[in-house]
Amino acid sequence: MYLVAIAWAYVALMMAAAEALSPQGTVFGALVTLMLYGVLPLRLLMYILGTPGRKRRRRAAESAAEADAGGHAPAGPAQGLAPEREEA
């Protein structure tokens, strides 16, 4: 996944550099080229390719929340209270 993104970013950067260094090109045109051919498609691609990971993390969080909501008392001292100390 990252190899495709790195390669696409390289190609878009080279296109923007060619636009900026061309006699008819401008720096503004290079920035537009970089945004429209590089940044925006890469963000969309990474969002789409990251969907399975997001689903997996959401399911893991939901299953952890269900396990915690079992109605059992928490282990250890009660919610930040120190145990009472007996004096001799």
Side-chain angles (χ1 to χ4, degrees):
M1 174 169 84
Y2 293 115
L3 183 63
V4 172
I6 291 169
W8 187 266
Y10 176 77
V11 170
L13 187 64
M14 290 297 113
M15 289 174 58
E19 173 76 26
L21 298 175
S22 163
Q24 291 87 18
T26 62
V27 175
F28 178 71
L31 291 174
V32 170
T33 298
L34 187 61
M35 289 300 292
L36 294 180
Y37 286 112
V39 175
L40 296 177
L42 270 177
R43 287 188 65 161
L44 180 64
L45 176 73
M46 297 306 286
Y47 179 78
I48 290 171
L49 292 178
T51 300
R54 283 193 309 276
K55 284 183 181 179
R56 192 170 33 252
R57 285 189 298 271
R58 185 176 350 141
R59 283 190 204 124
E62 288 173 357
S63 66
E66 287 175 7
D68 289 342
H72 299 289
Q79 307 242 339
L81 298 176
E84 193 171 316
R85 194 171 143 172
E86 295 181 19
E87 294 188 24

